[in-house]
Amino acid sequence: MSTKIVIDCDPGHDDAIAILLALASPELELIGVTTVAGNQTLDKTTRNALVTLEVAGRSDIPVAAGAAAPLRRELRTAAHVHGETGLDGPELPETSALPVEAHAADFLAELIEPGVVLVPTAPLTNLALMLERHPDVPDRLERIVWMGGSIAEGNVTPAAEFNAFVDPEAAAAVFASGIPITMIGLDVTHKAFFTRAHAERLRGAGRAGRFVAELSDFFQQFHERSYGFDGSPIHDAMAVAHVIDPSLVTTRHVNVAVEVRSELCDGRTVVDLRGVSGRAPNAEVGVDVDADRFLELLVSRLASLA
Ligand code: BDR
Ligand code: CA
């Protein structure tokens, strides 16, 4: 029996690869994709989700566009990481596929039923709107596995990771919702690098493999330039991989609160590893990953796509 998942994303190189990993994995059934503004504006992230599905020959999977801006802040994009299109690198194919009419917040509420895992890999604006508009959702949503946050340092500010920083109010609402949530943050995603050697294994492996190799060529330049990394963390794919095989990431059950009122620390995910706050645990937080096994799963699954 496969697990039904919905990916809420802002493609974004690693979001696109996360979608492809889900499509390549028999353990999962991707029943929908929803998009939000984040790495790029909503029109671009939505187009990129449609293009990614087209590359995999899966334009049958419905896409719904959601929030064009965070709940209460100006949008801050990551064009310096993902380029002007949001998926710079490969030549992006045309697609005639269109998003469904429903807003992502309503479409998510429609898709969620017991057994469905929601995998957001972006700012949590759509999820927060879904909770506002559909207060019954927490009763039937068993689990969220989110790529975002960080126990230690951030990547947009010293304190905050991008997905948490862009819409901290939304992240705070989701962590306060009582829905079981797993946080796959920078502490684990920065332990596994997709290298040029991985890209070469994929370059000749069909349309999707070449697409990923060309995405990685561009993504890699940012990580070399900015961090001196010998590869790229494919952040969002690790959240999908954790649903495929929970043993890949070690988690701890702890309290997470999100800072929304600080000049220096807005968007910080405050992870209480030692239980000093007295706040009850509300999340599983990734603290370690079997990087080799994750990367092997990722590359071998992507290579299997036509
Ligand atoms: C996260 O931010 C985005 O740029 C990536 O797609 C990923 O979801 C990493 O901080
Ligand atoms: Ca993302």
Side-chain angles (χ1 to χ4, degrees), residues 10 14-15 39 121-122 163 236:
D10 60 343
D14 51 333
D15 302 80
N39 286 324
T121 60
N163 291 338
D236 297 340

Side-chain angles (χ1 to χ4, degrees), residues 13 194-195 199 211-221 232:
H13 295 64
F194 183 95
T195 63
F211 185 67
V212 171
E214 290 174 2
L215 285 174
S216 138
D217 294 342
F218 182 90
F219 204 43
Q220 167 95 32
Q221 290 168 25
S232 317

Side-chain angles (χ1 to χ4, degrees), residues 20-21 24-27 244 296-305:
L20 294 172
L21 173 61
S25 297
E27 299 86 349
I244 296 171
E296 193 46 42
L297 174 93
L298 180 62
V299 175
S300 60
R301 292 291 169 89
L302 293 171
S304 75
L305 279 172

